[in-house]
Amino acid sequence: MSIALICILGCMIVCSLVLTRWPMQLVLRFEWHLIGLCAALLGATVVCLFFSVLVFGLMCWSRDWLLNPNFNYLSWSYYFSVFSGGFCSFAGFMMLHECFRSRDRKRETNNLLHLENQNGHHGAEPMEIPIDPGYQPHPYHGSNPGFSREQSVYSQASGFSHGSYPQHNAYI
């Protein structure tokens, strides 16, 4: 029962991480693996519950196993353990089903990324990203290498001219 408790708590922790998508990159990259881990932990929980219910159900009236077998009987806690094993097995099958669905979604997403785009580039080839024509590398290596406001496409599109900004000799 202790191993079943550890497995179900581990499953709850992993499921909560998948649901909240807390380490975003980890969950998005390994989503179906994490859901499969949840299904495996639920399966281990079901196996542990099955053996504990089986052993206690068969041995509850044996004098060799527990003292005073006259006071040992199967009560609500035993039936609660049986029902929790059934619910855990149902949840494990649902997690397994979701694992397969998540794996198929991941494959479809990867296939969409590798399709040919409208420019004729194939997904296996690196696409060229157009560079802003207003970008000029800074001639001074020790200073800010960012965009020059005077030569940026964005400032030309918004109607600012070269005279609207103060010109600094160090940045031109």
Side-chain angles (χ1 to χ4, degrees), residues 19-118:
L19 286 175
T20 58
R21 300 200 183 277
W22 173 54
M24 179 74 77
Q25 293 175 347
L26 179 79
V27 171
L28 290 179
R29 187 172 181 191
F30 300 110
E31 180 181 13
W32 74 271
H33 298 283
L34 293 173
I35 295 173
L37 176 66
C38 289
L41 287 172
L42 282 171
T45 301
V46 168
V47 168
C48 292
L49 282 175
F50 173 75
F51 283 122
S52 65
V53 164
L54 181 71
V55 167
F56 190 77
L58 293 176
M59 302 292 288
C60 70
W61 289 290
S62 174
R63 289 189 182 269
D64 305 357
W65 192 55
L66 290 173
L67 296 175
N68 288 331
N70 298 337
F71 298 111
N72 293 332
Y73 56 93
L74 302 178
S75 67
W76 61 271
S77 61
Y78 177 79
Y79 297 115
F80 185 74
S81 180
V82 170
F83 287 132
S84 67
F87 287 134
C88 281
S89 63
F90 177 73
F93 284 124
M94 290 294 107
M95 281 288 183
L96 191 62
H97 177 70
E98 182 62 29
C99 176
F100 291 140
R101 287 183 57 203
S102 178
R103 186 180 65 184
D104 291 340
R105 282 192 307 261
K106 181 77 169 182
R107 284 182 182 165
E108 289 174 6
T109 303
N110 285 340
N111 287 339
L112 287 176
L113 289 175
H114 292 294
L115 286 177
E116 188 173 305
N117 68 3
Q118 65 222 10

Side-chain angles (χ1 to χ4, degrees), residues 2 12 15-17 28 37 43 57 60 103 113 116 126 134 150 165 170:
S2 299
M12 287 182 184
C15 283
S16 65
L17 292 177
L28 290 179
L37 176 66
C60 70
R103 186 180 65 184
L113 289 175
E116 188 173 305
E150 292 82 14
Y165 291 106

